[in-house]
């Protein structure tokens, strides 16, 4: 799809880096924070940026591909880079999950501007520093950089929407349960609009996934010591069986996500994915599904795929654990990190990494070793009876559990917004529960 052929944007990245470097040079406090990010969270300052302000002209921004989307707010439509706000005073805004938590962690008593769960909320923590340093919650780009204050009705509707999502049923069922979840999403959108609905959805999905992934718990605790949460998230990956996939896409588009590029890794890989991005909240989703060779010519996200045949990597994972959108939760969250440093720092904490499946100057990606999840004996018996797994594999899954979720370590350079369509197939096969073996397995 030509409109989603992402290219490197080195000149735009260089402009951002120039603004970042100048801000760090002019602010001892920001310099100290940047060092803390590396030492305590294995990330770079650039991994967290929502927007950056500084003395930059419209001509400079246009020359490197930025577009003015609101008065004095510029974004790059073809790059994974922060927004830029032309200003006489330098400013650096880090994207965080909770601005209030960030303010407390940074020792600031200046307070938070904007209502909880609103489209944009900001905590300035720099005091009289020459550079404005803030932690911001970004749930809607429609707000620009102006904190949103809710009226009493909006406060109530936001609480209702959050509760609907937080308490929604997560059964092991199939298509009918996904249809019911889609109807619930429509209720949430009616309450708060698609930007907030999608943002709440992703926040709660991260929480659900984190509770079932040790690497996530450890890394989140490192990041939250600085009050950051998962503000460095890059994308969220959900897996679906063939029978539910088109309905899962309907659920996501009900929340306002728009479809981007499609992946088909080839007949030998047996899987594909639809990438989605939300134009309002900015969240990105990878939706994975088993694919047959005859599916490649289909818009496979918008037709109900035929069932039957041998389960591939994604289908077996769903048969063991449930649909990602329901009981299983996300397969992985991908965050932006200092790639080598995270691998080393998590290794000290006992978390291993699988072999990188992207190792380019502009894109590096690797999963942590899989978290094994227990599998119910009834599911194993059904899979054996259907000829999808053998008795020996079922016994192993019953005894040790089966590969469940991961944290994904990613580093982007050159403003590259796309993904690796080819090498990822090797890792997809390596995460198949039937053949997955940890690097340091003693079994």
């Amino acid at each position: 799809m030509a409109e989603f052929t992402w290219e490197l944007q080195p000149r735009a990245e260089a402009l951002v880096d120039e603004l970042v470097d100048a801000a760090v040079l002019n602010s001892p406090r920001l310099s100290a924070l940047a060092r803390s990010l590396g030492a305590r969270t294995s990330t770079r300052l650039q991994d967290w940026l929502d927007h950056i302000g500084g003395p930059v002209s419209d001509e400079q921004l246009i020359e490197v591909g930025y577009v003015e989307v609101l008065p004095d707010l510029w974004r790059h439509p073809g790059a994974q880079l922060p927004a830029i706000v032309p200003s006489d005073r330098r400013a650096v805004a880090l994207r965080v999950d909770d601005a209030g938590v960030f303010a407390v962690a940074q020792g600031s008593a200046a307070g938070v501007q904007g209502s909880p769960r609103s489209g944009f909320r900001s905590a300035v923590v720099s005091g009289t520093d020459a550079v404005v340093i803030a932690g911001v919650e970004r749930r809607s780009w429609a707000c620009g950089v102006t904190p949103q204050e809710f009226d009493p009705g909006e406060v109530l509707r936001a609480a209702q929407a959050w509760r609907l999502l937080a308490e929604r049923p997560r059964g092991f069922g199939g298509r009918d349960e996904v249809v019911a979840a889609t109807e619930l999403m429509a209720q949430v959108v009616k309450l708060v609009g698609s930007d907030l609905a999608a943002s709440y959805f992703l926040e709660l999905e991260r929480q659900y996934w984190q509770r079932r992934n040790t690497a996530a718990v450890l890394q989140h605790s490192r990041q939250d010591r600085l009050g950051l949460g998962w503000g460095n998230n890059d994308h969220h990956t959900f897996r679906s069986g063939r029978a539910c996939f088109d309905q899962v896409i309907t659920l996501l588009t009900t929340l306002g996500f728009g479809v981007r590029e499609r992946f088909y890794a080839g007949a030998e890989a047996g899987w594909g994915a639809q990438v989605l991005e939300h134009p309002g909240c900015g969240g990105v989703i990878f939706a994975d599904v088993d694919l047959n060779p005859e599916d490649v010519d289909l818009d496979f996200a918008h037709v109900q795929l035929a069932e039957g045949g041998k389960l591939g990597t994604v289908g077996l994972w769903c048969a063991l654990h449930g649909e990602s959108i329901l009981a299983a939760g996300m397969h992985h969250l991908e965050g932006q990190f200092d790639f080598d440093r995270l691998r080393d720092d998590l290794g000290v904490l006992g978390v291993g990494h699988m072999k990188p499946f992207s190792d380019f100057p502009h894109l590096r990606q690797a999963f942590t070793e899989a978290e094994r999840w227990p599998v119910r004996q009834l599911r194993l018996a059904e899979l054996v009876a259907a000829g999808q797994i053998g008795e020996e594999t079922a016994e192993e899954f019953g005894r040790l559990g089966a590969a469940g979720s991961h944290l994904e370590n990613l580093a982007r350079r050159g403003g590259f917004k796309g993904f690796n369509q080819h090498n990822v197939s090797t890792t997809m096969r390596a995460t198949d529960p039937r053949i997955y073996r940890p690097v340091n397995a003693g079994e």
Side-chain angles (χ1 to χ4, degrees), residues 290 311-321 383 388-389 393 397 432-434:
D290 284 349
L311 293 174
T313 296
V314 178
L316 179 62
W317 187 90
C318 293
L320 291 167
H321 304 306
L383 287 167
Q388 297 290 352
I389 59 174
T393 300
F397 288 168
D432 189 307
R434 287 168 290 221

Side-chain angles (χ1 to χ4, degrees), residues 97 115-121 137-140 148 150 153-168 170 184-185 187-208 236 238 255 257 278 280-283 285:
D97 279 347
S115 299
R117 297 178 186 158
S118 64
F120 186 78
R121 197 165 179 246
E137 299 171 32
R138 168 71 66 190
R139 297 189 179 90
S140 175
Q148 182 181 20
F150 279 165
E154 289 170 321
V155 171
L156 178 59
R157 289 191 293 275
Q160 291 173 329
W162 186 272
R163 183 173 180 178
L164 278 173
L165 291 169
E167 299 178 1
R168 70 183 180 92
R170 285 184 175 269
L184 183 145
M185 300 302 161
Q187 295 178 47
V188 175
V189 171
K190 187 174 181 180
L191 283 167
V192 295
S194 67
D195 290 7
L196 297 186
S199 179
Y200 296 174
F201 168 76
L202 292 179
E203 289 176 68
L204 287 163
E205 292 305 299
R206 291 195 294 270
Q207 291 179 19
Y208 186 83
H236 309 69
F238 295 83
L255 286 167
F257 286 90
H278 200 286
C281 77
I285 287 176

Side-chain angles (χ1 to χ4, degrees), residues 15 18-20 22-23 26 52-58 60-61 84-91 130-131:
L15 177 60
E18 180 183 325
L19 291 169
V20 171
N26 283 278
I52 186 164
V56 59
S57 69
D58 292 359
Q60 286 177 285
L61 292 164
I84 295 179
V85 179
S87 172
D88 292 335
R89 187 177 182 189
R90 297 189 184 277
V131 176

Side-chain angles (χ1 to χ4, degrees), residues 19 48 61 64 78 92 165 168-169 215 259 263 266 297 303 341 354 368 419 423 429 433-434:
L19 291 169
W48 297 94
L61 292 164
V64 299
V92 173
L165 291 169
R168 70 183 180 92
V259 294
F263 278 40
D297 294 326
V303 297
R341 195 163 192 170
M354 298 177 67
T368 59
F419 300 98
N423 294 14
R429 288 192 294 272
R434 287 168 290 221

Side-chain angles (χ1 to χ4, degrees), residues 285-350:
I285 287 176
F286 237 69
D288 292 343
V289 67
D290 284 349
L291 286 182
N292 299 325
E294 61 269 21
D295 299 325
V296 68
D297 294 326
L298 300 174
D299 178 2
F300 55 79
H302 296 105
V303 297
Q304 188 168 354
L305 297 170
E307 297 182 69
K310 188 73 172 177
L311 293 174
T313 296
V314 178
L316 179 62
W317 187 90
C318 293
L320 291 167
H321 304 306
E323 289 282 320
S324 272
I325 213 76
L326 298 173
M330 291 192 297
H331 178 258
H332 66 270
L333 176 73
E334 185 166 31
Q336 297 192 44
F337 301 99
D338 181 330
F339 188 88
D340 291 327
R341 195 163 192 170
L342 181 73
R343 183 176 54 194
D344 294 343
D345 291 346
L346 286 185
V348 171
L349 298 175

Side-chain angles (χ1 to χ4, degrees), residues 408-424:
E408 188 172 340
N409 179 1
L410 172 143
R412 293 186 183 276
R413 298 294 184 271
F416 185 62
K417 190 173 179 175
F419 300 98
N420 175 5
Q421 293 233 21
H422 302 291
N423 294 14
V424 68

